[in-house]
Structures are given as structure tokens and as C-alpha cells.
Amino acid sequence: MKVRTRVAPSPTGDPHLGTAYVALFNWAFAKKHGGSFILRIEDTDQVRSTKGSEVAILESLKWLGLGWDEGPDCGGDFGPYRQSERKNIYQQYADELVAKGKAFHCFCSAERLNQVRADQRARKETTRYDGHCLSLTESEIKEKKQKGESSVIRLVVPEEGESTFTDRLRGEISIPYQQIDMQVLIKADGMPTYHMAVVVDDHLMNISHVIRGEEWINSVPKHKLLYEYLGWPMPELIHLPLLRNPDQSKLSKRKNPTSIGFYRDSGFLPKALVNYLCLMGWSMPDERDLFDLEEMVSEFDENRISTGGPIFDLNKLSWINGQYIRGLSHDEFVEELIRQIADPEKISQIVPLIRDRIERFDEVISKADYLLGDIASLESSDYEFSDLPEELIHQILFIAVSSLEQLEDWQKDSIFELFSRCAKYLDLDFKKFMKPIFVVISGKKSSLPAFDSMALMGKSVTVSRFRRAMDHIGISGKKRKKLEKEMAAFLNA
Ligand code: GLU
């Protein structure tokens, strides 16, 4: 059997370290076994998926050196590689399942489903679909459809027994069917859900090994039923451990920058990041820390992946990055330095911001330092000049970073528009609102034009400066939760 693995990111938001991590192990496994590595874009969530996010995913995986053999950009024999372009394929298998009695049309309204769930919760039962539409006759279904009632297609799940499957790292796992929901396979808009699409695509794309994060283990019983109902063999499963913050919680942007773009724009070398990701749950037989992708592939053995949650530690990654920097030749160092801080394209974007603000060229560095590199750590006293109460500074930083994180269109005008709305929401004069923000982005009381600056710094670096500033001035997790509650109306609008 030819080994074929895939990474299947959803193009929602910034490319995540977790995607790079999963891609890396799929890539290494395919290379080790002389197989193919496929990139599939899982964009069935039409509301949250964006083209910009897809482009960023492709760019960041390329930056890391994790190229693919088949994908939406380069095609391949098993395309299309974007799920939104495969809609008809899924419908055909859903129809087959319905015809076999393994899936059914469900017309339940959202209100009814909410009520069922609320009742189950009150009885302390697992919340799941109660089978209400399972027994509809063909003529009832026809009648409802003719009346234009909206419907979905759901999976039939056995009443009794359990689903048993094997994960290469964890051995045999059993999950009782009582815990498995009658999953929606095709939504009312005709789009498949993840569960339907993943099974159909993995089968049609001849995926031999599904290597993904452990958060998907509980979904396997649904997938296994689909494979069985459709009479297809199931690929082998390898569920990788979840990356964790130093405090063992699941890796989150609140405690660690999670966007790959942050590492690219903050002076990390792709080889160092990939090396560090290799160490997440895996090690070389001789336990050495530093090695490149080729060395990893030659020693790769999936059975040596440990399932204990690996800690993603920025300090350790920085140490590794330092080792890689020391390993650069003089010329490579110069080249990298130019790329990182004196890239002509970046310089030419900075020029319009400084040319009318200097009288001597030697003033440039002190004015634009924060755009070319990192800033010093901030303390509460750095904000004193603003004359704003501490509570208000906390509110400003929190509302700014939370809304910036949601911003897709990273342009100075959109950031300006967003901040105007934030200031209005806080009932604050715009100039006052901006005072602490100058400090956060530039480390100074005033910066070059703030919106141009943020546009230039990019989303991940800007957001990470806000997050770090909040840590340094002591906005605790508890405080954040409180602020989140207070501003929910604005942030969820
Ligand atoms: N689209 C899923 C994700 O973003 C893929 C999960 C899988 O690999 O099956 O995590």
C-alpha cells in the first residue's frame, strides 16, 4: 500500500502552530515511507472560512519547508483539494446512506433541539439527538419537503454496544454508542459537516494514515460507522498529543503566541521552529536537541511519539533559535539580518512615515526602532503619563486586543475604524483611548503614525505586543475573564 498522508486545516483565522505541528508529522511520515503528503483545505464552514486565511496557511507551511505533493494550488490526481468544491460528491454518498437506512432526514427545528438538550441536561444525561425523525415514513418526508421545510441528514447510530478502534499510539480504544450523537452529515444549506467530508475525502483521496490532533479521538466512532456503512476500509489512525502551555493547559494564544506568522515576523528561523516542533512528543534515538528535517526523516519512527502533552516553551524555542543563529556562516548571517530588519520592501514602507519627521538621518533608528525590532518590557509606570485610571487602561488594552484578534482585513483604515468603535463603546475621547496604545506598540509615549505602524508590524506581532503588555502590567486571567464579560456585548456583536 502506498503511504498517503494529509493535513487538512480549516481556513479560519491565522495559521496556527498546531497546524504546523500536525503537518510536520504527516510530512515526515510520508517522506519516511516514500509516500505522498497532501494538503486539503476544509472550508465547509462557509461563514468562518476566508481566502486570506487559506493563502496564509499555504505561505506559512511553505516558509517552514513543509511542501506538499498535492493540494489546491498545485492540483493532483485526487482533486479538487478544497472541500467547498466537492459539495456534489458528498451529497451522492449521503443519498446512498439514506437509501441504505444508515442516515435519515431530520426536520427538527432549532427550538425543539434546544429543548431536548435542556431536558437531557436537567436529567444529567449526555446531550444528543433523541431520534425524533428516525421513524418518518417516506411519504411524510416527501410532504415536508414539498412544503419547503428545512432539513438536514443525520447519521444512524446503534442503540447499544460500543465502537472499538485502534490508535497506533494508544492501542485499542472503546467508546459506547450511547455517547455518540446522531451526527448531522449534510447541513440545511447542502454543505457537508466535517465528519461527512473527512471520511469521504480521506477515502477518495486514498489516505492511508490519518495523523491529526488527539482532540479528534472522540469523533472516530462516527467516522468508523461511516466507513462501515459505505463499505470502505478505514485508514490507520495516529492521534498526536495536544501541544500545551507551560502550565499544562491546552496551547492558547493568551499564554503563548500561537500564530505561525508571529514566529516568522519576530526573528525566528524556520529551521529552528521546525526543529523545536519535532521535539514536541518525539525525540531522536540519541536524545539530541538539534537536528534538521532530513535527519528527522531518516530516524523517524511514529511508535516513538509519546502521548504525554508536550509543553511548548518559548524560552526553549528561543534557545534553539539562538543555536541556529550561531550556526549561520558570516554571509548567511548578513543575509538573514538584512531580511529580518533591513528588508528594502519594509524600509520603503517606513520611509513615508519618517521622511517629514527628521532633520538628520541618524534620527531614523531612534524613531523607527520598534518597527524594525522588538521593544523593551513595559511596566505600569510606563502608562502614567496618560493620566488615565489603571482600570481604564486595562479596559482599553483588553478591548483593543480582543477586537484586533477578530480583524481579518489588516489595513490601517480598518484598524482605525475598529479603534474608533472601541473608543465610542468605552465612551472615551479617541486621543485618550490611543495614549496607552502608543506605549504598547512602540514602547514610547508617542510613535510614528500608529495605524500605519500596526499595519506594517502585521497582526501577529501587534497582537503579541498587546498580550505581552497585559502580562507585564499584571492583567491576570481572572481580570481578563471579568473584562471579557463586561465587554461581551461589543466583542460578540
Ligand atoms: N479540519 C480539521 C482541523 O482543522 C481536520 C481534522 C482532521 O485532520 O481530521 O483540525
Side-chain angles (χ1 to χ4, degrees):
M1 173 189 54
K2 180 159 172 13
V3 165
R4 287 173 59 83
T5 63
R6 80 331 185 248
V7 66
S10 300
T12 53
D14 296 329
H16 196 278
L17 274 182
T19 300
Y21 174 60
V22 171
L24 167 65
F25 281 81
N26 276 285
W27 184 93
F29 187 87
K31 293 282 172 275
K32 174 80 192 180
H33 298 281
S36 299
F37 169 55
I38 289 112
L39 171 64
R40 182 171 73 224
I41 295 293
E42 300 209 333
D43 57 352
T44 53
D45 184 341
Q46 298 268 278
V47 181
R48 292 178 59 231
S49 297
T50 64
K51 195 75 205 161
S53 171
E54 179 186 315
V55 170
I57 289 172
L58 268 66
E59 273 173 11
S60 48
L61 292 178
K62 275 189 194 148
W63 176 70
L64 288 168
L66 302 171
W68 44 96
D69 303 298
E70 298 165 31
D73 56 336
C74 57
D77 293 342
F78 300 83
Y81 293 91
R82 226 177 254 114
Q83 289 186 330
S84 56
E85 292 165 19
R86 302 172 63 79
K87 198 170 157 184
N88 296 339
I89 304 180
Y90 310 118
Q91 186 62 50
Q92 160 196 338
Y93 292 107
D95 292 343
E96 180 182 330
L97 289 166
V98 173
K100 284 179 172 166
K102 301 299 186 191
F104 59 99
H105 294 277
C106 167
F107 296 83
C108 290
S109 65
E111 293 76 43
R112 177 173 188 279
L113 295 174
N114 286 340
Q115 191 55 51
V116 168
R117 269 183 236 120
D119 293 347
Q120 287 170 334
R121 264 194 295 270
R123 293 195 301 267
K124 300 207 171 2
E125 292 172 8
T126 312
T127 51
R128 58 203 285 260
Y129 183 67
D130 62 353
H132 184 75
C133 289
L134 256 174
S135 51
L136 287 178
T137 63
E138 234 163 85
S139 61
E140 282 169 325
I141 293 170
K142 215 168 162 190
E143 199 185 310
K144 282 174 179 291
K145 288 215 159 185
Q146 266 163 4
K147 277 200 268 168
E149 281 185 41
S150 149
S151 66
V152 300
I153 295 180
R154 283 182 188 274
L155 176 72
V156 171
V157 177
E159 276 297 304
E160 311 221 309
E162 56 186 17
S163 172
T164 300
F165 55 91
T166 304
D167 173 83
R168 184 72 91 82
L169 307 179
R170 294 167 175 76
E172 213 172 82
I173 298 175
S174 292
I175 302 180
Y177 284 126
Q178 280 295 317
Q179 286 174 19
I180 311 301
D181 202 3
M182 295 179 210
Q183 177 66 46
V184 172
L185 301 175
I186 303 284
K187 296 181 269 190
D189 64 2
M191 270 306 220
T193 54
Y194 156 73
H195 303 281
M196 178 72 189
V198 80
V199 167
V200 170
D201 287 348
D202 283 343
H203 174 72
L204 294 182
M205 294 182 183
N206 278 357
I207 300 301
S208 61
H209 295 78
V210 167
I211 307 175
R212 63 184 166 197
E214 68 181 312
E215 68 269 34
W216 298 107
I217 290 182
N218 287 337
S219 299
V220 175
K222 294 172 186 171
H223 301 178
K224 188 167 179 241
L225 283 174
L226 284 170
Y227 281 108
E228 283 168 4
Y229 292 162
L230 291 163
W232 295 341
M234 182 138 153
E236 272 206 56
L237 301 173
I238 301 179
H239 287 92
L240 298 171
L242 276 185
L243 301 183
R244 299 192 178 270
N245 296 311
D247 66 1
Q248 305 277 348
S249 56
K250 181 178 162 197
L251 188 72
S252 66
K253 61 187 176 200
R254 278 175 187 64
K255 301 196 174 144
N256 246 322
T258 52
S259 124
I260 303 174
F262 167 81
Y263 296 91
R264 187 196 51 219
D265 299 341
S266 304
F268 287 88
L269 293 164
K271 285 191 172 164
L273 182 53
V274 164
N275 186 155
Y276 188 52
L277 288 174
C278 290
L279 292 173
M280 297 285 97
W282 192 80
S283 58
M284 277 294 207
D286 64 1
E287 305 273 319
R288 72 178 187 276
D289 279 337
L290 302 177
F291 50 88
D292 63 22
L293 272 177
E294 246 173 65
E295 292 170 279
M296 183 207 190
V297 168
S298 70
E299 296 291 345
F300 190 69
D301 175 2
E302 61 283 3
N303 297 312
R304 277 217 333 279
I305 301 173
S306 125
T307 51
I311 304 285
F312 188 90
D313 177 359
L314 199 50
N315 294 327
K316 176 85 192 270
L317 167 61
S318 300
W319 177 82
I320 290 187
N321 201 50
Q323 301 300 312
Y324 272 83
I325 289 182
R326 286 182 241 330
L328 296 174
S329 69
H330 179 86
D331 289 350
E332 284 167 345
F333 190 105
V334 172
E335 203 178 297
E336 196 56 44
L337 189 62
I338 293 175
R339 202 181 65 76
Q340 298 275 348
I341 68 168
D343 172 33
E345 207 178 300
K346 192 166 178 186
I347 301 282
S348 85
Q349 286 174 300
I350 295 176
V351 169
L353 310 184
I354 46 171
R355 60 179 305 145
D356 296 336
R357 290 183 169 79
I358 56 162
E359 287 165 346
R360 293 163 40 158
F361 277 101
D362 61 2
E363 293 166 52
V364 168
I365 294 295
S366 64
K367 286 213 157 31
D369 55 354
Y370 72 96
L371 295 174
L372 300 168
D374 201 6
I375 58 169
S377 297
L378 301 166
E379 291 168 30
S380 301
S381 57
D382 290 309
Y383 300 87
E384 275 165 13
F385 81 98
S386 69
D387 272 341
L388 297 172
E390 191 181 73
E391 176 65 19
L392 189 55
I393 296 179
H394 289 187
Q395 287 178 339
I396 294 174
L397 300 194
F398 185 82
I399 199 167
V401 73
S402 310
S403 40
L404 284 179
E405 264 166 357
Q406 294 175 15
L407 186 67
E408 286 278 349
D409 176 33
W410 195 260
Q411 313 270 351
K412 74 172 191 188
D413 294 344
S414 355
I415 307 174
F416 174 77
E417 195 269 328
L418 186 66
F419 279 7
S420 310
R421 283 196 288 118
C422 290
K424 219 177 187 172
Y425 177 77
L426 295 178
D427 200 15
L428 202 61
D429 172 66
F430 192 58
K431 275 204 183 118
K432 280 194 186 151
F433 176 83
M434 286 305 290
K435 277 187 173 180
I437 290 178
F438 286 121
V439 181
V440 168
I441 61 170
S442 68
K444 309 176 224 262
K445 290 180 200 166
S446 63
S447 70
L448 295 171
F451 297 100
D452 292 273
S453 296
M454 286 185 269
L456 223 143
M457 282 156 55
K459 181 170 176 178
S460 355
V461 169
T462 307
V463 164
S464 81
R465 284 200 188 164
F466 272 91
R467 290 244 163 249
R468 219 173 44 177
M470 285 164 60
D471 284 344
H472 286 145
I473 63 170
I475 307 187
S476 64
K478 228 178 175 177
K479 179 80 212 243
R480 277 171 221 223
K481 289 224 169 77
K482 189 173 157 264
L483 289 165
E484 201 166 340
K485 254 196 200 144
E486 279 169 21
M487 299 181 189
F490 180 80
L491 295 171
N492 301 331

